[in-house]
Amino acid sequence: MPVLKPMSDAMAEQYMQIVFETMDLTVDAAWLSEIRNYFMISARLAGILETYPLDMTEDLAPVFRP
């Protein structure tokens, strides 16, 4: 199972640029560092979750059935 590598600043900047262009978003420059921090935290958490071995037949969350 591949493990996500930590996101570098350059990778986060590139990802942000792609997302903003794709979604046609205009973002105030004052917010860019906070958005980059969020993406880096999210990538780190995704890397942690990716290392947990799950069988494809396991339920990922309980399902409520009334």
Side-chain angles (χ1 to χ4, degrees):
M1 171 182 336
V3 176
L4 287 176
K5 296 178 183 176
M7 184 178 276
S8 68
D9 284 343
M11 289 171 61
E13 295 285 339
Q14 183 180 22
Y15 182 75
M16 288 167 42
Q17 182 180 359
I18 291 168
V19 169
F20 298 157
E21 288 175 7
T22 301
M23 299 181 76
D24 195 27
L25 293 176
T26 303
V27 178
D28 188 337
W31 287 94
L32 292 178
S33 67
E34 294 300 322
I35 295 168
R36 184 180 61 246
N37 288 341
Y38 170 78
F39 281 135
M40 294 179 83
I41 290 168
S42 297
R44 197 170 346 165
L45 291 173
I48 292 168
L49 291 174
E50 191 176 64
T51 62
Y52 187 79
L54 285 178
D55 185 10
M56 293 303 287
T57 61
E58 292 186 54
D59 287 334
L60 300 180
V63 177
F64 173 73
R65 297 190 201 311

